[in-house]
Amino acid sequence: MSSDTPMMKQYREARQSLEDDTLLLFRLGDFYEMFETDAEQGAALLGITLTKRHDMPMAGIPSHAAESYLSKLLAQGKKVAICDQLEAPQPGKLVKRGITRILTPGTVLEDRQLEASHNHFLLALDLDKKGARAAWLDLSTGKFALSAQTKPGDLFSVLHSLSPREVLMPESLGRRLEMMENGKSLSDEIDRALGEITRTERPDFDFDQRSGAREVMESLGVMNLEGFGIDLEHSGLGPAGAVLVYAQDVLKGKPGNLNRIEEYRAGAALLLDPATQRNLEVFRTSAQARKGSLLDCMDDTASPAGARLVESFLARPERDLTEIQRRQACVEEFSRSPRAVEEVKETLRHGADLERILGRLRNRVVRPRELGGLRATVRGLPAIRQTLSELGKDFPAIQSLASRIELFEELGDLLNRALEEELPAEIKLDVKGVGGRVIRAEYDKEFDRLRDLAGGGKRWILELEASEREKTGISNLKVKYNGAFGYFIEVTKANLHLVPEHYVRKQTMTNAERYYTDELRTKEKEILNAEEQAVAKEQELFEVVVHRALEDADGLSLVARVLAEVDVFSSWGAILRDRDYCIPTFTEGSRELLIEQGRHPVVETVLKQESLGLAGTHAFVPNDVNLSAAEEQLCLITGPNMAGKSTYIRQVALITLMAQVGSGVPAKSCRLGLVDRIFSRVGAGDELARGNSTFMVEMNETANILNNCTADSLIVLDEIGRGTSTYDGLSIAWAVVEHLHGEGSEGPKTLFATHYHELTRLADSLPRLRNYAVAVKEWNDEIIFVRQVTPGASERSFGIQVARLAGLPDGVVGRAKQILASLEAEDGTISVDNESMADSPSPENGPLEKPVVLPKKRRVSPKIDPSQLELF
């Protein structure tokens, strides 16, 4: 380091102030450079050229394209520090540089680094024997919340639905988990809830509860947190403080867009654990795609803020009946106002993402186009309010929304008068056009004078070029400009003999010479001085407009929320009408779930899309459900594979979820009581990295359900016990059914799909269990799927017929029939078919000739106590 240049010493000082896992981009002229290990890592991640100078690895990116490269690094979970030039370069002087911002996956603010329709949360998490604590913050919108739960699983449910981009954890958390009795299972739960997101360890003192309370109060500018319903001893304030300290570190200042903090209470929301969210494909499909999920099906909004609000509603379904009914009223009224829906959508499409614009302005990311987006949104406010108000008193819920839309006429007038229609990304000195053309002509007389003066100088340069060509006879003579030499006259070497004597040589090029004259030098000073003054004045005027806009920031934030609600409820109103949905009826205190002609929202949408222009496609077959905690509590559903059992039980869970979100549901009618949790054990998958087999994952999820369900819960179970041997699986499934039914008068509403037909006999002894079957029709040894759920038990599973539909070779299907017949016979003997094995690899001892004798198939006698299995 003793031999480093002053610039490299500057670089190392900046590098040493950062964590090892942070890449440093160091501004050198028109490039951001990376050095040493940063260069090697950055070049590999970005796919750019790695070079060496004096044996030092280097890699650089153009400053004008930096945002796209930054997006690539952040998408790969990297943290990036930007070291910018803090002053204009001067000959012979080291430019002052400093770290102006640190970008991490959870703290970005730029549009291109954010997913418009997705919230972008930074999460802090801590847990111990007393429970789990967390806080989450979306810097782009100012959403800030905390929570503390004695049962970590209750908190993991909401954390999974938030899908944060970065999580902060105390440095000691790993060691503490190792020392806890259930530390391994908690660690696995964290992994399942948070997935592969960027994790950042922070000092334990960042999570101190008292320090966190002070940080939160300082950031919100309040003396206490009573106005937010949060006690100063709330343990979630520790993670909340950690989030704020980290945000201050990366922003190089306090977040400017925080004005409230909310407490998430598990009992106030319908909970879906991470497994249920995955099984029901609420936010993502099994292929991790948004398309095909419930969120995708329910999101027909016109604005990014509306799309984020749909996601937020699904992440925290309501248990507050008043709020659910408020949303339902808005949706129902919009369904009767198709013209208003279209007008609102059209206006919102021409607006901007007001919520995130305010987030950037308040966090000192100030650019002309942000104000342009603000202006576009403010311009649309009168049209939206008028459209809603014209609907009249027959639409009270919509009138309530309209009354909350403030117009900001004074601010709108200022933005219209002050700003050009087409705005650049930055205000900067441009020798080809003064400034960035941000402030409109005639807004400020002094600025108009400076702009005219600079513009006149440019005209003088053009006139000089034409005049000098005529005087010298040099037809290709040019007057040019660059930052190093200013203005100059360029003459090609072929015309040097025509150069006048008063031209003073300035620079020799390969094919030309550059000159200046006293007249040109004098005018250059006038032009550059006028340009600099014009740009400075434009920047000053722009900052005044920004300051004025920020005075209305709190009111604009409230309007942004209203606009998002208008977008969501109007789009759901259109869905209610166009897809023939209904508004559910809630019965307070009830534990029933009655659905008439219910449909799966996603499957029905896909079928309709596929049917467009195609012949022979089929509409979705609706089905009823009648569940009650005290009567028909447990529905046991049998039927062949592919008949629709899984679709049926999932659609019931999704309809319940949609109802408590406040939207319409795909059914002719729906009546239900509030549900506290939805549990789902559907599908198969393993966790080999954690040492968990498919069956172990199934048992983990089943244990979670049995240990946490209540009489207010809804449970959907699909083929419990199939991951192990037949008798073991049947025994477990039998015991699970008995446990869910229980000995009391009520139990959790449950849909249990199974291929264990022996379980259907439990209806004889469990009074709240009902048998249902998915009907099929047989014809010429083939089956036709009817998709209708009917009372009673299915006789068999039709597995061989389904195997034929899947394309198994005829020989395999035929042999399977022979084996099935033998297994169903009393002696249980299977003869070996050597002919069918001719094309298969032979056993070492030659073909088998003796028949295989299996244990006789034993049946559960309906005459004995069904709680005692006669299976062994």
Side-chain angles (χ1 to χ4, degrees), residues 246-264:
Y246 187 70
Q248 291 170 33
D249 287 348
V250 300
L251 291 175
K252 300 302 177 183
K254 288 186 178 295
N257 59 331
L258 304 185
N259 53 27
R260 64 179 289 107
I261 183 171
E262 299 177 354
E263 181 185 10
Y264 171 82

Side-chain angles (χ1 to χ4, degrees), residues 500-605:
E501 292 184 1
H502 67 281
Y503 278 23
V504 180
R505 181 178 283 107
K506 195 168 192 174
Q507 185 183 23
T508 300
M509 307 294 291
T510 303
N511 298 313
E513 295 283 346
R514 292 176 173 176
Y515 303 88
Y516 68 89
T517 66
D518 292 339
E519 182 185 24
L520 179 59
R521 178 165 286 183
T522 301
K523 198 67 178 178
E524 175 187 55
K525 292 179 181 178
E526 292 180 11
I527 294 170
L528 294 181
N529 187 49
E531 286 179 344
E532 290 171 2
Q533 289 184 24
V535 172
K537 184 65 177 177
E538 189 168 32
Q539 183 70 45
E540 177 189 331
L541 295 171
F542 176 70
E543 289 174 358
V544 170
V545 175
V546 171
H547 180 74
R548 173 63 188 83
L550 287 174
E551 290 178 359
D552 285 330
D554 288 343
L556 288 166
S557 293
L558 295 175
V559 168
R561 168 71 185 203
V562 178
L563 293 181
E565 287 193 357
V566 168
D567 192 9
V568 171
F569 299 147
S570 62
S571 68
W572 283 356
I575 289 174
L576 179 69
R577 182 183 64 252
D578 298 340
R579 300 183 191 173
D580 195 23
Y581 283 13
C582 75
I583 295 291
T585 300
F586 282 90
T587 307
E588 197 164 2
S590 166
R591 287 174 171 169
E592 64 180 1
L593 174 57
L594 306 176
I595 301 172
E596 182 182 4
Q597 296 186 22
R599 290 118 46 205
H600 192 294
V602 179
V603 176
E604 180 185 44
T605 302

Side-chain angles (χ1 to χ4, degrees), residues 31 76 93 144 199 248 256 294 385 427 461 483 547 610 632 655 669 763 840 844:
F31 280 80
Q76 297 177 75
K93 181 182 176 183
F144 190 23
R199 302 187 186 189
Q248 291 170 33
L294 178 64
R385 192 166 81 171
I427 296 179
I461 292 293
H547 180 74
E610 291 177 350
E632 292 195 20
I655 287 173
S669 68
S840 303
E844 292 182 5

Side-chain angles (χ1 to χ4, degrees), residues 720-733 756 758 871-872:
I720 293 295
R722 66 180 173 179
T724 186
S725 69
T726 301
Y727 286 173
D728 282 358
L730 174 56
S731 302
I732 291 170
Y756 294 133
E758 292 85 348
L871 292 175
F872 307 108

Side-chain angles (χ1 to χ4, degrees), residues 205-253:
F205 55 75
D206 277 3
F207 289 79
D208 179 70
Q209 187 271 333
R210 293 184 181 275
S211 299
R214 286 194 299 271
E215 286 289 344
V216 171
M217 288 188 290
E218 287 178 14
S219 295
L220 297 176
V222 296
M223 296 292 292
N224 57 61
L225 300 175
E226 292 177 5
F228 305 104
I230 297 172
D231 189 272
L232 290 179
E233 299 300 318
H234 195 296
S235 59
L237 289 169
V243 164
L244 293 175
V245 169
Y246 187 70
Q248 291 170 33
D249 287 348
V250 300
L251 291 175
K252 300 302 177 183

Side-chain angles (χ1 to χ4, degrees), residues 45-287:
L45 292 170
L46 296 174
I48 59 177
T49 302
L50 180 68
T51 61
K52 279 192 176 183
R53 183 175 297 176
H54 305 299
D55 291 328
M56 178 183 290
M58 296 176 59
I61 57 175
S63 59
H64 66 82
E67 294 300 332
S68 62
Y69 286 104
L70 287 172
S71 298
K72 290 181 181 178
L73 292 171
L74 292 167
Q76 297 177 75
K78 297 303 297 181
K79 304 168 190 173
V80 187
I82 308 296
C83 186
D84 271 317
Q85 296 176 173
L86 303 180
E87 61 184 7
Q90 297 180 19
K93 181 182 176 183
L94 179 65
V95 178
K96 184 179 179 181
R97 294 181 176 87
I99 295 176
T100 55
R101 53 181 172 150
I102 300 174
L103 303 177
T104 75
T107 60
V108 296
L109 292 167
E110 301 289 352
D111 252 350
R112 69 172 61 191
Q113 294 158 6
L114 294 164
E115 188 178 340
S117 60
H118 184 68
N119 290 297
H120 203 99
F121 286 110
L122 169 68
L123 169 74
L125 174 66
D126 192 12
L127 68 159
D128 54 26
K129 294 179 181 179
K130 297 179 181 178
R133 305 165 291 283
W136 49 95
L137 168 65
D138 185 342
L139 274 174
S140 70
T141 62
K143 285 184 170 60
F144 190 23
L146 56 69
S147 184
Q149 305 294 330
T150 54
K151 291 183 178 180
D154 290 351
L155 186 57
F156 296 154
S157 296
V158 69
L159 299 189
H160 184 268
S161 65
L162 291 174
S163 187
R165 298 308 174 93
E166 183 177 4
V167 59
L168 312 177
M169 294 180 172
E171 291 173 331
S172 66
L173 181 59
R175 295 192 303 273
R176 280 188 275 137
L177 286 174
E178 290 176 1
M179 297 172 64
M180 292 170 62
E181 185 177 346
N182 61 339
K184 175 63 168 62
S185 63
L186 283 175
S187 181
D188 287 347
E189 283 191 69
I190 293 172
D191 291 343
R192 281 190 286 267
L194 300 179
E196 300 298 323
I197 65 172
T198 302
R199 302 187 186 189
T200 301
E201 290 189 347
R202 299 289 289 176
D204 282 21
F205 55 75
D206 277 3
F207 289 79
D208 179 70
Q209 187 271 333
R210 293 184 181 275
S211 299
R214 286 194 299 271
E215 286 289 344
V216 171
M217 288 188 290
E218 287 178 14
S219 295
L220 297 176
V222 296
M223 296 292 292
N224 57 61
L225 300 175
E226 292 177 5
F228 305 104
I230 297 172
D231 189 272
L232 290 179
E233 299 300 318
H234 195 296
S235 59
L237 289 169
V243 164
L244 293 175
V245 169
Y246 187 70
Q248 291 170 33
D249 287 348
V250 300
L251 291 175
K252 300 302 177 183
K254 288 186 178 295
N257 59 331
L258 304 185
N259 53 27
R260 64 179 289 107
I261 183 171
E262 299 177 354
E263 181 185 10
Y264 171 82
R265 296 180 176 89
L270 164 61
L271 291 182
L272 284 80
D273 58 64
T276 298
Q277 292 175 34
R278 289 192 298 270
N279 294 336
L280 297 181
E281 299 183 316
V282 177
F283 300 101
R284 294 285 187 275
T285 66
S286 56

